[in-house]
Amino acid sequence: MGFLDTIGTLIGVGAAGNLLDKDGHFPEMEKAMMADAVATVASALLGTTTTGAYIESAVGIQEGARSGFSAVVVAIAFALCLSWSR
């Protein structure tokens, strides 16, 4: 299930961000799939919930967030919210 979910997410996010090649394929999809697989195995070994790509990322990509910096900013904002909620 996770495999198919990740493929669908990558295609959807790739289409939203104009990242697909001229044939409609996600370039170097193997790298993204391997990153997802490693994260899933690592989370199982650490006893946490699985990680993965989410289709909600399409909104950020449409707005220009492609480098991962936006994820860092969001993580910092969440950490600040958690520290203020005590």
Side-chain angles (χ1 to χ4, degrees):
M1 182 65 190
F3 177 76
L4 295 175
D5 184 41
T6 301
I7 289 176
T9 299
L10 289 174
I11 297 298
V13 169
N18 295 322
L19 301 172
L20 303 180
D21 65 12
K22 62 182 174 83
D23 297 323
H25 299 119
F26 193 91
E28 298 183 12
M29 182 181 262
E30 298 83 15
K31 290 181 181 179
M33 294 297 293
M34 182 58 73
D36 186 69
V38 169
T40 299
V41 171
S43 64
L45 292 173
L46 295 171
T48 65
T49 57
T50 58
T51 60
Y54 295 100
I55 195 64
E56 290 84 359
S57 302
V59 174
I61 288 173
Q62 283 179 327
E63 294 300 320
R66 297 177 186 198
S67 68
F69 181 68
S70 65
V72 173
V73 172
V74 169
I76 292 169
F78 272 119
L80 289 172
C81 288
L82 286 173
S83 68
W84 284 333
S85 67
R86 289 185 187 181

